[in-house]
Amino acid sequence: MVDKKEIEQAVDRVSTVSSERGRAVKLSLSSGKLMLSVTNPDSGSATEEVEVEYSADPLDIGFNSRYLLDIADRSKARRLCSSSPIRARRP
């Protein structure tokens, strides 16, 4: 679980340096925290850390920042959560 407003603001801040075309944001989940990061060779990099309720294996995944903001915008809840656990495949 994560505070909706906090994740919206963090995504908005890091996405300011993302490329207009891709708008990719990397999410790195680990116990108790979510790290959002963007690296753009033309405009630099940005990183934000958000406190979350998460206790599974560490997970790295990327999303379009607009997609993340749209999800938060459509939710009426103050806290966001995944209804099903994400399971990473092991090689």
Side-chain angles (χ1 to χ4, degrees):
M1 288 189 116
V2 63
D3 181 80
K4 175 184 163 180
K5 195 66 157 171
E6 192 173 353
I7 193 74
E8 285 177 314
Q9 292 171 347
V11 169
D12 188 50
R13 284 191 296 269
V14 298
S15 68
T16 59
V17 298
S18 66
S19 71
E20 195 60 36
R21 188 172 144 231
R23 297 184 151 289
V25 175
K26 178 182 176 184
L27 307 176
S28 298
L29 272 165
S30 59
S31 184
K33 72 177 181 177
L34 169 64
M35 186 71 73
L36 297 90
S37 59
V38 171
T39 302
N40 182 333
D42 297 325
S43 53
S45 61
T47 304
E48 288 278 334
E49 185 175 314
V50 178
E51 188 176 309
V52 295
E53 292 177 27
Y54 182 80
S55 59
D57 290 338
L59 173 71
D60 291 335
I61 191 166
F63 283 102
N64 179 296
S65 62
R66 188 71 247 154
Y67 176 70
L68 294 171
L69 292 172
D70 285 348
I71 291 170
D73 185 53
R74 283 168 179 50
S75 174
K76 292 183 169 109
R78 291 185 317 188
R79 294 181 56 78
L80 302 175
C81 69
S82 173
S83 61
S84 63
I86 298 171
R87 300 202 197 295
R89 286 190 177 181
R90 302 263 184 226

